[in-house]
Amino acid sequence: MATRKTPEPIDHTRRRFFGTAAAAFAVAELAITGTANAQAEKTPPKLSATVPAPRTTFRSLKQIEAGDLNVGYAEEGPADGSPVILLHGWPYDIHSYVDVVPILASAGYRVIVPHLRGHGTTHFLSAETVRNGQQAVIAADVIALMDALAIKKAVIGGYDWGARTANIVAALWPERCKAMVSASGYLIGSQEANKMPLPPEAELAWWYQFYFATERGRAGYEKYTRDFAKLIWRLASPQWKFDDAVFDRSAAAFDNPDHVAIVIHNYRWRLGLAEGESKYDDLEKRLAQGPIITVPTITLEGDANGAPHPDAGTYSKKFSGKYAHRVIKAGIGHNLPQEAPRAFAEAIIDVDGFEERAP
């Protein structure tokens, strides 16, 4: 495992990518190393009645070595606050949470928002590391980040890729996940399940997955990355009136030199058209069984989500701890935390206050 280093503040107006230092990473080494600061049990904070002014950026951006990566992340809130980790989706970036973070930080949380692999300033420590986008490895990245930051346990929230990753952490490492907020519910999948054909209308919604399966699709995404992402934003959130400045702020994260490779591998792996790494085989076997999530959970859904997503009635039994589902109205689409930041922050605070259901 890579040597832990102190988080390094960075200038968010510059984009720096590195990658020659060698690092070895094995799932067996994902247990906490060194001394982790115990997180004292505290009364959950309350949502402030004051609505913070909209943000355009984060106050603090940092870098830290974690597993195979040097992870770029935003951090706000008191250092001794109860940790919250927020995970973004594709094709988005950490700015999905730019207005969620100040709400939670003002409530006393220590909020961490990392760029997923292939996004923003997160980069590989070694040029030799496989550019792997399978579902288990992104969750393993989160565990490695928690280890590097000496975070024993956190409330984890996400949507899209971030929700799937939060689901996996909660399912495989429940001792590291205090509670969870998941937009669009239970998203853990398997290559075997993805072999099953869907009705034509449902297959149509996944058009880009089939596009990425071809070399034409890979080349097209590489050439038209920003145009492609903007189209997905419009389709996934048909009522969200974002402007060019908002889009461009996030699209800068797609300039990461590994972005295309990670995205293409992720979607090809899902269809069984690309292999994963053997060291994650055992994790994927467990995920393929559709594991039950035991931690307290709130699932969210926007009433105008234009992206493929399961119906809430199909996954409620996947949560055996205290559970609630909320539909966020007023034309809220797929990028729920950016479109409805207060509702997302409220869910984080509320789920932190849940008492686990007795077995």
Side-chain angles (χ1 to χ4, degrees):
M1 182 171 289
T3 302
R4 183 184 302 167
K5 292 188 177 181
T6 303
E8 170 196 354
I10 64 171
D11 180 352
H12 63 78
T13 62
R14 300 174 59 196
R15 307 195 60 76
R16 299 180 298 172
F17 300 99
F18 308 82
T20 53
F25 177 76
V27 172
E29 296 176 342
L30 287 175
I32 294 180
T33 59
T35 302
N37 295 326
Q39 306 297 328
E41 292 297 327
K42 301 179 180 179
T43 301
K46 295 182 179 180
L47 189 70
S48 171
T50 303
V51 179
R55 291 269 201 96
T56 59
T57 189
F58 293 98
R59 291 177 179 171
S60 175
L61 295 177
K62 302 178 180 180
Q63 297 286 146
I64 193 169
E65 290 186 9
D68 288 336
L69 304 171
N70 186 296
V71 178
Y73 65 100
E75 178 173 1
E76 292 190 28
D80 63 347
S82 182
V84 172
I85 297 175
L86 302 176
L87 305 172
H88 69 81
W90 170 88
Y92 306 93
D93 83 323
I94 61 175
H95 288 94
S96 291
Y97 296 103
V98 72
D99 291 319
V100 175
V101 167
I103 299 173
L104 295 176
S106 66
Y109 287 99
R110 178 190 179 192
V111 191
I112 309 292
V113 190
H115 277 294
L116 301 186
R117 57 171 54 200
H119 295 74
T121 56
T122 292
H123 58 271
F124 288 88
L125 295 171
S126 172
E128 304 303 316
T129 303
V130 177
R131 272 40 179 178
N132 181 355
Q134 71 184 98
Q135 62 178 356
V137 74
I138 301 175
D141 289 344
V142 174
I143 296 297
L145 176 63
M146 293 177 70
D147 290 348
L149 294 173
I151 294 174
K152 182 179 179 180
K153 200 169 190 176
V155 176
I156 302 177
Y159 70 99
D160 195 83
W161 286 23
R164 179 177 294 105
T165 302
N167 292 176
I168 294 170
V169 172
L172 299 185
W173 295 281
E175 71 280 3
R176 309 300 298 274
C177 184
K178 182 180 180 184
M180 179 179 67
V181 171
S182 178
S184 293
Y186 186 94
L187 299 179
I188 296 173
S190 72
Q191 290 178 315
E192 192 63 31
N194 287 337
K195 291 179 181 179
M196 299 299 295
L198 301 172
E201 187 174 351
E203 296 282 23
L204 178 61
W206 285 109
W207 65 271
Y208 55 88
Q209 183 168 251
F210 303 115
Y211 181 63
F212 288 161
T214 68
E215 178 55 27
R216 178 188 177 94
R218 187 209 63 77
Y221 186 61
E222 183 174 46
K223 183 175 181 179
Y224 300 107
T225 306
R226 294 195 178 204
D227 292 335
F228 197 101
K230 185 174 284 188
L231 174 61
I232 295 295
W233 281 33
R234 289 171 175 161
L235 293 174
S237 298
Q239 297 185 43
W240 182 29
K241 305 303 181 184
F242 62 88
D243 58 24
D244 287 343
V246 168
F247 176 78
D248 291 342
R249 181 180 61 187
S250 289
F254 312 149
D255 294 337
N256 185 300
D258 298 305
H259 178 76
V260 173
I262 294 298
V263 171
I264 296 301
H265 185 268
N266 176 283
Y267 285 101
R268 289 184 179 180
W269 178 87
R270 295 191 200 190
L271 294 178
L273 302 176
E275 294 184 358
E277 293 180 84
S278 60
K279 63 184 178 182
Y280 299 108
D281 285 352
D282 288 343
L283 294 183
E284 293 295 354
K285 287 178 182 178
R286 292 170 62 187
L287 295 174
Q289 296 173 5
I292 298 296
I293 292 175
T294 60
V295 307
T297 297
I298 292 177
T299 55
L300 303 175
E301 191 57 80
D303 66 341
N305 185 0
H309 61 278
D311 182 86
T314 65
Y315 57 68
S316 60
K317 292 183 179 179
K318 287 293 187 180
F319 303 100
S320 65
K322 188 168 183 181
Y323 171 72
H325 177 73
R326 298 175 180 177
V327 176
I328 311 304
K329 299 182 179 180
I332 303 303
H334 190 61
N335 185 4
L336 197 151
Q338 194 163 1
E339 297 176 59
R342 190 168 178 83
F344 197 94
E346 183 176 17
I348 291 287
I349 293 173
D350 288 349
V351 80
D352 189 27
F354 279 1
E355 293 181 2
E356 293 194 46
R357 183 182 297 162

